């Protein structure tokens, strides 16, 4: 019987198993000797390939000295589910695992600037919103988010396409100075060859407003993964019907969004408006005019 193909859940499980092995101070050969398995079995598990059973995972973890409580958390990833899985803890670690292996990222952001595109002060304001995160946790999380942005600067980065709903750019987070810097940062990023930023104006924003935030990641060696985030958990989806719907929504956004040049002009205009405290950010008429020019 051929090995079961890799999926997002198994790759996440494999990365967590590898992390636990490294914490235990073992290399793959040492763990293979302890378990009596072939080293290739360890390798397949850690790369998310082939069938996985709870017994297999428990044996692996036991030889790494993992406590029963910690093992129970890892075991949740070993249980078969529908084509997608929910991550309640360490969502960022799972997301980074997929981001660092993807070929392209296409996302829609209806309410906030996406984490990979945030300035440090904007990120700090977002993370501290509504007191959801304890004050002592804010700075460590900001640091992690900034480190995650190395993905944008690495050699041969993924291709990025972001559809930013106009509401996300007009919702003042952290004050007008923070928004001014964030708009300038977005305008700078929009000039990079691997990054496409396109604004969806209010006038045509029904799709962006109803779609919610989602990120579609495509890979070279396995199928796509759709990521949907909330304050409480992250959902990683691979079901073919859901991926197809996600692509349809993103394609429809591409049909109505401002083009890259118009989007960058609007970002610069918004930055200028935020730089003048007595002036409200550019009204929707500017976006409407740009849409008319494009048409």
């Amino acid at each position: 019987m051929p090995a079961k193909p890799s999926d997002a859940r198994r790759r996440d499980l494999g990365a967590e198993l590898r992390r636990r092995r490294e914490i235990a101070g073992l290399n793959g050969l040492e763990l293979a000797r302890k378990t009596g398995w072939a080293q290739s079995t360890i390798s397949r598990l850690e790369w998310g390939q082939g069938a996985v059973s709870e017994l297999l995972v428990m044996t692996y973890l036991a030889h790494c000295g993992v406590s029963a409580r910690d093992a129970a958390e890892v075991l949740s990833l070993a249980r078969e589910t529908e084509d997608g899985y929910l991550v309640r803890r360490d969502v960022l670690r799972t997301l980074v695992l997929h981001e660092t292996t993807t070929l392209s990222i296409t996302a829609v952001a209806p309410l906030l600037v996406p984490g990979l595109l945030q300035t440090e002060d904007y990120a700090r304001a977002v993370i501290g919103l509504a007191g959801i995160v304890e004050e002592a946790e804010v700075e460590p999380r900001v640091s992690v988010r900034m480190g995650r942005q190395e993905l944008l600067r690495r050699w041969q980065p993924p291709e990025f396409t972001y559809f930013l709903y106009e509401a996300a750019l007009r919702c003042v987070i952290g004050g007008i100075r923070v928004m001014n810097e964030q708009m300038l940062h977005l305008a700078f990023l929009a000039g990079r060859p691997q990054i496409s930023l396109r604004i969806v104006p209010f006038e045509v924003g029904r799709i962006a407003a109803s779609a919610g935030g989602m990120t579609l990641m495509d890979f070279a060696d396995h199928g796509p993964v759709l990521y949907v985030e909330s304050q409480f958990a992250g959902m990683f989806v691979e079901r073919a019907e859901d991926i197809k719907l996600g692509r349809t929504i993103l394609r429809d956004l591409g049909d109505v969004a401002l083009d890259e040049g118009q989007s960058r002009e609007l970002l610069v205009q918004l930055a200028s408006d935020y730089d003048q405290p007595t002036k409200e950010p550019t009204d929707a008429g500017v976006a409407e005019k740009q849409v008319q020019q494009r048409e």
Side-chain angles (χ1 to χ4, degrees):
M1 180 181 294
K4 193 169 184 179
S6 171
D7 61 21
R9 180 182 57 82
R10 266 190 293 275
R11 291 190 296 276
D12 190 11
L13 171 62
E16 181 62 16
L17 290 175
R18 184 167 58 252
R19 189 176 76 88
R20 299 286 180 167
R21 172 177 60 75
E22 291 171 350
I23 290 174
L26 298 171
N27 61 37
L29 180 58
E30 290 168 337
L31 183 56
R33 288 171 177 167
K34 287 171 69 73
T35 59
W37 298 341
Q39 189 173 0
S40 60
T41 300
I42 303 294
S43 179
R44 284 197 300 272
L45 273 173
E46 294 182 352
W47 286 102
Q49 298 171 343
V52 178
S53 69
E54 291 186 37
L55 177 59
L56 200 66
V57 173
M58 279 298 297
T59 303
Y60 182 109
L61 293 173
H63 284 89
C64 291
V66 176
S67 69
R69 179 179 178 180
D70 288 346
E73 295 179 6
V74 182
L75 275 173
S76 64
L77 290 172
R79 298 188 180 107
E80 292 289 346
T81 61
E82 62 179 299
D83 297 330
Y85 67 107
L86 192 70
V87 178
R88 293 189 180 277
R89 297 183 60 184
D90 296 324
V91 174
L92 184 58
R93 187 168 65 213
T94 300
L95 179 59
V96 169
L97 167 68
H98 297 309
E99 286 178 341
T100 54
T101 57
T102 188
L103 289 177
S104 66
I105 293 175
T106 307
V108 52
L111 298 176
L112 294 170
V113 174
L116 281 173
L117 309 181
Q118 292 175 4
T119 64
E120 184 172 337
D121 285 340
Y122 185 95
R124 184 175 292 109
V126 169
I127 292 170
L129 282 174
I132 295 174
V133 176
E134 293 184 9
E135 186 175 349
E137 295 182 19
V138 172
E139 289 307 316
R141 292 200 182 196
V142 170
S143 179
V144 169
R145 184 163 297 184
M146 294 300 100
R148 179 178 158 219
Q149 293 181 6
E150 286 298 319
L151 181 65
L152 301 174
R153 298 182 286 273
R154 79 180 189 191
W155 184 67
Q156 291 187 332
E159 293 291 325
F160 298 91
T161 301
Y162 283 100
F163 293 102
L164 307 180
Y165 186 29
E166 189 175 349
L169 308 178
R170 295 184 181 279
C171 181
V172 178
I173 304 292
I176 58 173
R177 180 190 63 79
V178 171
M179 293 302 296
N180 166 256
E181 293 175 353
Q182 181 63 73
M183 295 304 107
L184 290 173
H185 183 61
L186 289 174
F188 169 74
L189 291 176
R192 292 191 175 185
Q194 83 276 17
I195 300 176
S196 174
L197 298 185
R198 300 185 59 191
I199 297 173
V200 182
F202 282 127
E203 290 79 6
V204 292
R206 177 184 58 81
I207 301 172
S210 61
M214 65 177 180
T215 300
L216 180 65
M217 293 172 278
D218 285 296
F219 303 84
D221 301 325
H222 49 77
V225 175
L226 188 66
Y227 173 64
V228 181
E229 180 180 298
S230 75
Q231 288 285 359
F232 310 103
M235 174 67 79
F236 296 85
V237 180
E238 294 180 286
R239 197 165 70 104
E241 293 86 346
D242 296 327
I243 297 294
K244 182 178 180 181
L245 176 59
R247 290 195 191 280
T248 298
I249 292 171
L250 293 169
R251 184 195 64 225
D252 291 346
L253 285 170
D255 290 339
V256 300
L258 300 179
D259 64 29
E260 293 177 10
Q262 293 168 335
S263 296
R264 194 176 187 189
E265 288 178 9
L266 183 52
L267 288 169
V268 171
Q269 181 62 62
L270 284 169
S272 176
D273 291 349
Y274 279 124
D275 196 35
Q276 302 176 51
T278 60
K279 182 180 178 183
E280 291 295 323
T282 306
D283 63 29
V286 172
E288 182 179 6
K289 180 179 179 182
Q290 291 176 326
V291 172
Q292 293 171 346
Q293 291 174 342
R294 179 167 64 91
E295 293 174 345

